[in-house]
Amino acid sequence: MDTLERTFYDTIARGLSPIGGLAACDLPPPGIIENRTFDELAIGDAAQIVRTFSNEDIELFASVSGDVNPTHLDPDYAEETGFHGVIAHGMLGGSMFSTVLGTLLPGPGTIYLGQDLRFRAPVKPGDTLTAKVVVRETHADRKRVVFDCLCTNQHGKAVISGNAEVIAPTGKVRRERVALPEVSVIHHQAYADLLSHAGGRPPLPTAIVHPCDHGSLQGALDAAAAGFIEPFLVGPQGKIRAVAEEAGLDLSGYQIVNTTHSHEAAEVGVALARDGTVKALMKGSLHTDELMHEVMRRENRLRTARRISHAYVMLLASSGKPLILSDCAINIAPGLEEKVDIVQNAIDLAIALGIAVPKVAVLSAVETVTPAMPSTLDAAALCKMADRGQIKGGVLDGPLAFDNAINAAAALTKGIASAVAGHPDILIVPNLEAGNILAKQMSFSGGADAAGIVLGAAVPIILTSRADSVRTRLASCAVAALAASPQA
């Protein structure tokens, strides 16, 4: 039974029949919706519903309507208004009349002709509203009915008043209520916290390599506007300007380093990093191997003693904190030696993101050491190496299957006592295939924002996919800004 239906029957239980002249025993049972035809209506018939509005209701209405007026959504802004706090959209309260007319009186088959409302007092989160309609006039010519409408709050104060005109149904309708989908508000707090944490630093000089499509160019300019990077646009000048013109982007104030094609763009971008002109690289609309081939060339001196690895910073709405996933894009089938650097790179990144002592879950298909499954042996060795100080800065546990790595209840069910299980900051996958599938599942099925970065080189490399959104590119730039200056 949904909220409105519960309200309907709760009202009856208090002895206040929501439909004038109708006894509670004549009302449809729970789960059934039934109308009153025009011939069954009389002057003075009434119906009402009661509902308490929350912040989530206001946010859902804003999401559906697109009305993001800060009076309804921004507590700091709203506090400075005459309302001294967030208020609900006027039409959110007004929609209660539509609910009464469409579901109770007259009910199914009603055709709305018009509504005249006056908004007399603000509605704030936590207010309980009673919306009541009363038949004022009936007109047999077109089966028209005019209702007086009044909405009051928990103090009995009128907040909305007016009238509505409808065409009442002439045929009887009695049907099962349609089950509504479950809807909730998901706050991407991890995303907001990341951008906030990355703010306040000097912009990171960044070579945007071949920004010749809308996503890569828009993402770079948005990151520049947010203060995360100072972009050097490296690529064919004509193509870059054509993309900007088509998308309505202003390139004034940004340096364009002209090249003839994407291969040269990669060469020039890496050269800018090598000579210190830029402190980060960002992949544009070229293939990953074009850029990484230049990065990996020893003569370019961007390689360090640390093996290069990739990490996704997964920004999960469900947890409200970042979750680092590595390696999902560089090392295809890393052995133990490569995994040591993958783990250390991820730990260093987590610390740069503000996680003091990162918890690292080393994944496999099972949580027991099994010689037939090499990833479990690697996991056990990595944990012992951390115990001996060969991996520094984090707390490791593994092997852990994915369920008991991220869910404390699943870990307890299997008798796993661990400081990491259920609370990881980092997930180390056994190979690229597993990591890539897991990352895309989190993004496309789980709604996570995935900020991609390459670690272990002399400068951070923002390695986004050509399919990534501008939002993802902005998050990746924020991660690079933090990785480049973790102590700032």
Side-chain angles (χ1 to χ4, degrees):
M1 192 184 299
D2 65 29
T3 302
L4 294 178
E5 190 173 330
R6 283 196 301 270
T7 300
F8 182 56
Y9 285 93
D10 287 348
T11 303
I12 295 170
R14 293 196 297 272
L16 301 173
S17 172
I19 300 179
L22 203 63
C25 61
D26 297 324
L27 294 169
I32 298 297
I33 186 169
E34 185 174 348
N35 67 359
R36 300 280 302 281
T37 67
F38 178 84
D39 292 336
E40 293 174 325
L41 295 174
I43 304 299
D45 280 354
Q48 67 181 36
I49 59 170
V50 181
R51 183 169 180 180
T52 300
F53 285 103
S54 65
N55 271 314
E56 184 173 272
D57 294 319
I58 296 171
E59 291 166 341
L60 280 170
F61 189 85
S63 179
V64 171
S65 68
D67 183 354
V68 293
N69 183 336
T71 303
H72 310 305
L73 302 171
D74 186 336
D76 293 333
Y77 173 87
E79 188 63 38
E80 300 301 319
T81 68
F83 301 114
H84 303 294
V86 165
I87 62 170
H89 306 72
M91 290 309 299
L92 177 56
S95 69
M96 294 178 70
F97 297 125
S98 177
T99 301
V100 181
L101 295 168
T103 64
L104 299 179
L105 185 71
T110 298
I111 299 174
Y112 234 124
L113 293 178
Q115 181 90 58
D116 182 15
L117 298 178
R118 301 290 297 177
F119 301 97
R120 301 168 61 179
V123 175
K124 295 194 172 186
D127 282 353
T128 298
L129 303 188
T130 300
K132 182 177 182 178
V133 303
V134 181
V135 176
R136 187 177 79 195
E137 305 171 17
T138 60
H139 300 274
D141 55 341
R142 292 180 55 204
K143 310 301 181 186
R144 291 183 300 115
V145 184
V146 178
F147 290 87
D148 286 322
C149 302
L150 180 64
C151 187
T152 56
N153 64 17
Q154 66 272 25
H155 305 298
K157 183 176 182 178
V159 296
I160 308 172
S161 64
N163 58 75
E165 184 178 2
V166 306
I167 296 176
T170 56
K172 201 67 178 172
V173 177
R174 182 183 176 93
R175 302 179 66 85
E176 290 187 5
R177 276 182 172 263
V178 175
L180 295 175
E182 292 187 10
V183 181
S184 61
V185 174
I186 298 176
H187 292 282
H188 286 264
Q189 192 60 43
Y191 184 88
D193 288 346
L194 172 66
L195 300 191
S196 176
H197 188 45
R201 291 167 168 74
L204 183 67
T206 303
I208 318 300
V209 181
H210 204 255
C212 294
D213 65 358
H214 174 260
S216 59
L217 186 57
Q218 180 76 67
L221 299 189
D222 283 355
F228 300 147
I229 67 171
E230 176 191 350
F232 290 70
L233 306 175
V234 183
Q237 182 171 234
K239 287 186 178 180
I240 294 172
R241 292 198 181 278
V243 170
E245 183 176 354
E246 182 179 355
L249 303 176
D250 183 6
L251 297 183
S252 59
Y254 297 113
Q255 183 172 341
I256 298 178
V257 182
N258 188 38
T259 68
T260 56
H261 46 65
S262 59
H263 291 293
E264 185 182 359
E267 294 173 3
V268 172
V270 168
L272 291 173
R274 183 181 63 235
D275 65 22
T277 302
V278 301
K279 303 298 181 183
L281 296 170
M282 183 175 181
K283 174 180 171 286
S285 57
L286 76 169
H287 291 288
T288 297
D289 57 0
E290 287 185 81
L291 177 58
M292 293 309 299
H293 174 76
E294 290 299 321
V295 170
M296 298 298 288
R297 289 175 59 186
R298 292 192 178 277
E299 57 266 35
N300 284 325
R301 302 192 301 279
L302 293 189
R303 297 178 65 175
T304 67
R306 191 83 61 80
R307 186 176 184 84
I308 287 176
S309 64
H310 177 270
Y312 274 124
V313 180
M314 309 301 295
L315 304 169
L316 302 164
S318 57
S319 68
K321 69 172 189 175
L323 178 66
I324 296 172
L325 190 59
S326 187
D327 181 331
C328 306
I330 299 292
N331 295 284
I332 297 174
L336 178 61
E337 186 175 0
E338 291 81 14
K339 287 180 180 178
V340 171
D341 283 346
I342 290 170
V343 172
Q344 192 65 65
N345 286 341
I347 289 173
D348 292 347
L349 176 61
I351 292 171
L353 296 182
I355 302 170
V357 183
K359 298 180 178 67
V360 184
V362 187
L363 298 182
S364 184
V366 295
E367 63 280 349
T368 54
V369 177
T370 305
M373 199 172 290
S375 62
T376 67
L377 301 176
D378 288 348
L382 290 168
C383 293
K384 180 53 67 177
M385 293 174 79
D387 290 343
R388 299 285 175 87
Q390 292 172 270
I391 298 173
K392 303 180 185 298
V395 176
L396 274 67
D397 196 7
L400 291 171
F402 181 74
D403 57 346
N404 47 59
I406 64 167
N407 187 285
L412 287 174
T413 299
K414 295 191 175 182
I416 300 172
S418 167
V420 174
H423 311 284
D425 301 300
I426 299 168
L427 298 178
I428 300 298
V429 297
N431 54 51
L432 184 146
E433 289 174 317
N436 192 271
I437 292 169
L438 179 56
K440 288 177 179 176
Q441 186 277 330
M442 287 183 174
S443 295
F444 289 93
S445 298
D449 293 301
I453 188 169
V454 172
L455 307 164
V459 299
I461 302 166
I462 305 163
L463 194 63
T464 54
S465 166
R466 283 171 291 174
D468 282 342
S469 66
V470 171
R471 176 185 172 94
T472 294
R473 295 174 193 272
L474 180 61
S476 298
C477 289
V479 170
L482 290 165
S485 55
Q487 304 304 318

